Amino acid sequence: MQKSSPSSETRRTGSQEPRIKIVPYYATSLGHAAVKLAEAYASPLDMWQRDYMEVLLARDEEGRPAAVTCGLDMPRQNGKNYILEIFEMTVAVVLGWHVLHTAHEVKTSMKSFERVCSYFSGPNSTPEMRAMVSKIRRTNGQEAIFLKNGGIIEFSARSRQAARGFDDIQVVVFDEAQELTPEHVEAIMATLSASSTGTRQVIYTGTPTPPNSPGTVMQRTRERAIAGELKSCCWFSWSVEKPPALTASFEDVLDDVYATNPAMGIRLDEDFTESEFASMTIDGFARERLNWWLTLDEQHLIAKSDWNACAVDAYDREGTKVALGVKFATDGSCASLSLAAWHGDDKPYVQLLRVGEGRDGIDWLSERIEALREVASCVVIDGMYGRDVLVNELTRNKRFPKKGIVCPSSNDVATAASMLKQRVDTHQMQWFRNQRRLESSALSVEKRRIGDRGAWGFGGDDPTPVESCSLALFGLLTNKRDVNRKLRVG
């Protein structure tokens, strides 16, 4: 249930007006009914929630929903879930409609069910609301609330088959819609097309699609809505057009925080948001707190089409210059070892050799590097968690030539990242095909701020594989040590 902080005339609060607001023509609206239900049985709606509810429940001259396709995207913790609860309760109680609420995960679907259920049963419900209930079904995966007027609210986690058992649905609510795939939608839309009343409404709510998510439906629908390609559509978006500069401070982004979070100063505060800013990459903060959407063409720092264009099925390393790269994860959870090779008149080649878990220690690293000492001109090692330990292990008993061990500066790390990206963008690099861990890493990385002068490295959920490749490439192209050079005597 939504709760607000005490009011204050001097408190700064978030914008109640979205940056993008698409509203169709409508004759009347039942938004007032939702406002009254919220006030009587839950908590009052915020101003923006009342405005959006007005459009969700808008009707044309024939009494049909004015907006068939509805979208709401904004940062988390601003009240999206609460507006869905009140909307679902309104159309079931007032109109007797059948609603299907779907979420990406079972636990999210269950939480939504429990919250809506609390209005109709339990200690916080009222006699009037309890009297409306015909039955409540709590069967796992088939949770539903049945009302005496025929209204039904059903809840389901999404899968290819999860929605095929539902009949005669008027409204589908896609919670966590950023994760929607075409397969999910195909399984659900068939239930909506069979509506006996002819009433159909689809609601998408969510946040920007994560870089490594297969979800494309909400992104594509949002882009079409903004382009004016959808009829009978409403869409509200609290978002920024572009991310802050890599050198931005929290003070630099504070105006954007208030512009994109209507709950700021009400249920969100600056202190917590500043801690988010400190713990995230700039791109991550822009997505999660400023609701920054990349277009489908901009989804990845490294474009999939460019990455695939660099793939090769085989590469002969014999007689080539070779360098190694090691990247330790910041939290010590893993370490990646990669190799880069170059004939000199060909495109450089990179290969991920292994990703080891933190519990594996470093023996495997030192042994693998020592085994390649006869062909590797250098090994570039980055990551404070394990770098010094590995360097000591390699120099002990001369397991690897000291002149060939490189500990890069932060500027070197930034150069390595931009060097790899530039070569991928221009297809001037190769990588061994069918390395799924490397491919996943490369296609999910984002910019990680380095220092305060705009430099960046690779960040994200699993950056170390592609980072180690960038370090190996950096060593290959910058280190002058020649393993074939022999000392002359006489």
Side-chain angles (χ1 to χ4, degrees), residues 402-413:
K402 191 173 182 179
K403 290 184 178 180
I405 299 174
V406 179
C407 295
S409 67
S410 57
N411 286 336
D412 292 336
V413 172

Side-chain angles (χ1 to χ4, degrees), residues 31 50 68 73 77 84 139 235 237 243 262 313 328 361 371 375 389 401 422 424 430 438 446 457 485:
R50 294 196 296 269
V68 175
D73 63 85
Q77 301 172 312
L84 293 180
T139 305
W235 206 284
S237 174
D313 294 315
F328 289 94
V375 295
V389 177
Q422 189 274 335
V424 171
Q430 299 174 317
L438 175 59
E446 57 193 48
R485 182 180 179 183

Side-chain angles (χ1 to χ4, degrees), residues 4-38:
S4 300
S5 301
S7 61
S8 171
E9 293 182 2
T10 60
R11 179 185 292 117
R12 185 181 183 184
T13 57
S15 173
Q16 300 299 296
E17 278 293 316
R19 182 178 68 86
I20 297 170
K21 187 175 184 178
I22 300 170
V23 178
Y25 166 79
Y26 62 93
T28 60
S29 176
L30 294 173
H32 63 282
V35 171
K36 290 181 178 179
L37 276 172

Side-chain angles (χ1 to χ4, degrees), residues 21 39 61 94 190 192 219 241 247 369 402 429 457 465 477:
K21 187 175 184 178
E39 291 175 347
E61 288 88 347
V94 177
L192 194 64
Q219 175 84 50
E241 291 188 79
T247 56
I369 293 169
K402 191 173 182 179
M429 191 196 79
L477 300 180

Side-chain angles (χ1 to χ4, degrees), residues 301-315 321 323 338-352 415-433 435 438-439 441-443 445 458 465-477:
L301 177 62
I302 296 176
K304 186 175 183 179
S305 58
D306 292 328
W307 181 253
N308 287 340
C310 296
V312 293
D313 294 315
Y315 190 90
K321 182 180 179 181
S338 288
L339 173 148
W342 194 19
H343 283 293
D345 57 353
D346 201 354
K347 299 174 184 178
Y349 161 90
V350 297
Q351 180 179 352
L352 178 66
T415 299
S418 59
M419 182 184 289
L420 184 140
K421 175 170 166 51
Q422 189 274 335
R423 284 190 170 269
V424 171
D425 289 347
T426 58
H427 306 170
Q428 295 301 308
M429 191 196 79
Q430 299 174 317
W431 64 280
F432 187 62
R433 197 188 305 274
Q435 295 186 88
L438 175 59
E439 181 173 20
S441 174
L443 297 183
V445 290
F458 291 126
V466 75
E467 282 186 288
S468 65
C469 285
S470 72
L471 295 172
L473 181 64
F474 174 81
L476 181 75
L477 300 180

Side-chain angles (χ1 to χ4, degrees), residues 152-449:
I152 306 172
I153 310 173
E154 297 196 74
F155 297 81
S156 173
R158 289 190 288 269
S159 70
R160 293 187 178 185
Q161 303 296 328
R164 296 199 184 276
F166 299 100
D167 299 315
D168 197 15
I169 293 170
Q170 281 78 53
V171 183
V172 172
V173 175
F174 289 121
D175 192 6
E176 301 178 318
Q178 71 273 8
E179 301 286 357
L180 268 174
T181 66
E183 291 80 10
H184 293 147
V185 175
E186 289 169 7
I188 291 173
M189 283 307 188
T191 68
L192 194 64
S193 64
S195 169
S196 60
T197 64
T199 299
R200 300 178 183 89
Q201 195 169 26
V202 182
I203 302 172
Y204 301 87
T205 69
T207 55
T209 305
N212 57 349
S213 169
T216 57
V217 174
M218 184 175 181
Q219 175 84 50
R220 185 174 291 109
T221 305
R222 182 180 186 271
E223 290 182 13
R224 293 186 63 199
I226 294 172
E229 298 175 1
L230 299 180
K231 296 180 179 179
S232 305
C233 171
C234 80
W235 206 284
F236 283 32
S237 174
W238 278 261
S239 56
V240 293
E241 291 188 79
K242 59 183 180 180
L246 287 172
T247 56
S249 65
F250 182 65
E251 288 72 22
D252 294 330
V253 304
L254 195 54
D255 285 344
D256 283 341
V257 167
Y258 277 94
T260 56
N261 290 270
M264 278 299 296
I266 303 173
R267 290 177 299 277
L268 293 174
D269 60 67
E270 288 186 19
D271 289 343
F272 176 74
T273 307
E274 186 170 10
S275 68
E276 289 182 313
F277 180 80
S279 64
M280 296 181 183
T281 64
I282 280 290
D283 284 2
F285 183 82
R287 270 197 318 274
E288 296 298 325
R289 186 49 62 201
L290 304 182
N291 200 36
W292 168 55
W293 289 77
L294 286 167
T295 65
L296 287 172
D297 293 335
E298 300 170 330
Q299 281 288 328
H300 306 291
L301 177 62
I302 296 176
K304 186 175 183 179
S305 58
D306 292 328
W307 181 253
N308 287 340
C310 296
V312 293
D313 294 315
Y315 190 90
D316 182 10
R317 297 206 309 262
E318 186 174 352
T320 66
K321 182 180 179 181
V322 172
L324 304 174
V326 176
K327 177 63 182 182
F328 289 94
T330 304
D331 61 0
S333 60
C334 66
S336 293
L337 172 65
S338 288
L339 173 148
W342 194 19
H343 283 293
D345 57 353
D346 201 354
K347 299 174 184 178
Y349 161 90
V350 297
Q351 180 179 352
L352 178 66
L353 299 180
R354 178 178 169 183
V355 179
E357 301 299 323
R359 61 177 177 270
D360 295 336
I362 66 163
D363 286 349
W364 70 271
L365 270 170
S366 58
E367 290 170 3
R368 192 73 178 270
I369 293 169
E370 183 182 12
L372 292 167
R373 62 174 293 164
E374 297 299 325
V375 295
S377 61
C378 68
V379 55
V380 184
I381 308 169
D382 185 48
M384 293 299 294
Y385 185 86
R387 182 193 64 190
D388 292 345
V389 177
L390 179 59
V391 169
N392 289 336
E393 183 66 21
L394 291 176
T395 54
R396 184 170 60 87
N397 298 328
K398 300 180 180 180
R399 300 183 71 175
F400 196 88
K402 191 173 182 179
K403 290 184 178 180
I405 299 174
V406 179
C407 295
S409 67
S410 57
N411 286 336
D412 292 336
V413 172
T415 299
S418 59
M419 182 184 289
L420 184 140
K421 175 170 166 51
Q422 189 274 335
R423 284 190 170 269
V424 171
D425 289 347
T426 58
H427 306 170
Q428 295 301 308
M429 191 196 79
Q430 299 174 317
W431 64 280
F432 187 62
R433 197 188 305 274
N434 295 328
Q435 295 186 88
R436 293 184 180 180
R437 183 69 180 270
L438 175 59
E439 181 173 20
S440 174
S441 174
L443 297 183
S444 66
V445 290
E446 57 193 48
K447 288 183 178 180
R448 170 178 58 86
R449 181 172 47 188

